[in-house]
Amino acid sequence: VFLVWCAIKFDKEISDALTRAWFSSYLENLRDRFAEIGTRSVALITEARSPEEYRLLDPLSPVPETAAIGALADAASLPDTNRVTVIEAEPGAGKTTTLKFLAWRQADALLAEKPGCSHVPVYIELKLLPPRSQTIEDAVQQALNPGGEHTTPIPWDSLLLLVDGLNEVDPQSQMNFKAEIRHLLSQFQKLRIVVAGRPNSFSGEFEGSVVVLRRLNDQQLITLFRHALRDVGKAPTLFDSLRASLFLS
């Protein structure tokens, strides 16, 4: 009776431990793959997108869930605060870096057995998938089982799916991927997703909180220079020099 009671009471903890053990090699590889970004990244700030913008894109489209207009949040907290997040920003704003950082952060936390951390991160670049021949599900299966040995079903309810480059595939593929995401969300209630694309690449095809990445402020730039130079003292000096130059600024 005691064993049954323990199994029921600690079902989630047992499930998380088994998932962590099963994918330990995958998590270690993912953590090492993005270690450079994870250990030297600059925390980006997101701003909630105005829902009224969707009325301009498509007056008949459903208005997605959003935070208060102008609400700010640390990009690293997106998977913790939203089940589904869409990041929209111009090229070079940090969308890919943010997704890779989230993958590294989640893998590192899982391996460290951080309390409350249970979702296995999977990073997918849509533009690298073979056109018209591979789905997100195929990509997840390949990522988790690179050797091709599908010995276990994908633990969808324990995944953090990080989808990059929504706008970098042809329109038909975009429609297919969005439809697949909508289907996965309806099938698996605990699945968490962060999708990244350029402005207006998402028009409410599935429910999600939409945010944009803000430009780096002065302190973030100094932190960026400090990471790049690996020197605390030279970073402010470089920043002051850039600000003093009209061309470089």
Side-chain angles (χ1 to χ4, degrees):
V1 173
F2 176 74
L3 290 177
V4 173
W5 178 83
C6 287
I8 296 174
K9 181 175 178 60
F10 299 105
D11 176 69
K12 186 178 186 307
E13 288 78 1
I14 294 172
S15 176
D16 291 347
L18 291 174
T19 300
R20 188 184 300 114
W22 185 266
F23 295 108
S24 59
S25 296
Y26 163 78
L27 292 169
E28 289 172 358
N29 291 334
L30 188 67
R31 181 183 60 183
D32 295 343
R33 177 184 172 191
F34 296 138
E36 186 72 8
I37 288 177
T39 55
R40 298 179 62 190
S41 65
V42 175
L44 297 179
I45 303 300
T46 66
E47 182 173 358
R49 180 180 176 184
S50 167
E52 280 72 22
E53 293 185 42
Y54 284 93
R55 296 307 183 192
L56 299 176
L57 294 173
D58 182 357
L60 300 180
S61 68
V63 177
E65 171 191 356
T66 60
I69 298 174
L72 304 181
D74 187 340
S77 68
L78 293 176
D80 301 325
T81 55
N82 305 309
R83 184 188 174 207
V84 184
T85 305
V86 178
I87 302 175
E88 291 193 338
E90 297 290 349
K95 300 184 297 295
T96 296
T97 298
T98 297
L99 292 185
K100 290 181 177 179
F101 171 78
L102 290 174
W104 172 86
R105 173 176 172 267
Q106 189 72 8
D108 187 63
L110 276 173
L111 291 170
E113 300 184 15
K114 182 179 178 181
C117 185
S118 59
H119 282 67
V120 176
V122 178
Y123 171 74
I124 296 174
E125 286 187 83
L126 294 182
K127 66 181 181 181
L128 298 183
L129 302 185
R132 297 183 177 85
S133 64
Q134 190 174 35
T135 63
I136 290 177
E137 182 174 356
D138 292 333
V140 171
Q141 188 69 269
Q142 184 177 342
L144 295 177
N145 302 279
E149 298 180 359
H150 307 327
T151 56
T152 182
I154 297 174
W156 288 107
D157 279 320
S158 297
L159 287 191
L160 168 58
L161 189 56
L162 305 164
V163 183
D164 196 9
L166 185 60
N167 59 283
E168 297 179 10
V169 294
D170 61 82
Q172 184 59 51
S173 295
Q174 290 186 39
M175 292 177 58
N176 293 341
F177 288 134
K178 291 174 182 177
E180 186 178 5
I181 288 174
R182 184 170 61 248
H183 174 72
L184 290 172
L185 289 171
S186 67
Q187 292 292 109
F188 307 101
Q189 300 303 313
K190 296 181 181 180
L191 170 66
R192 290 182 175 269
I193 300 179
V194 181
V195 183
R198 294 180 184 177
N200 301 331
S201 59
F202 173 73
S203 301
E205 291 85 353
F206 48 84
E207 292 186 6
S209 179
V210 187
V211 300
V212 294
L213 294 175
R214 303 191 78 187
R215 297 183 64 178
L216 294 173
N217 58 34
D218 290 353
Q219 186 55 52
Q220 288 173 314
L221 284 171
I222 292 175
T223 302
L224 180 66
F225 297 156
R226 185 180 301 125
H227 288 330
L229 297 174
R230 302 181 186 274
D231 189 301
V232 175
K234 292 181 179 179
T237 302
L238 175 59
F239 176 78
D240 292 340
S241 299
L242 292 177
R243 278 286 187 249
S245 169
L246 181 62
F247 173 74
L248 293 177
S249 179

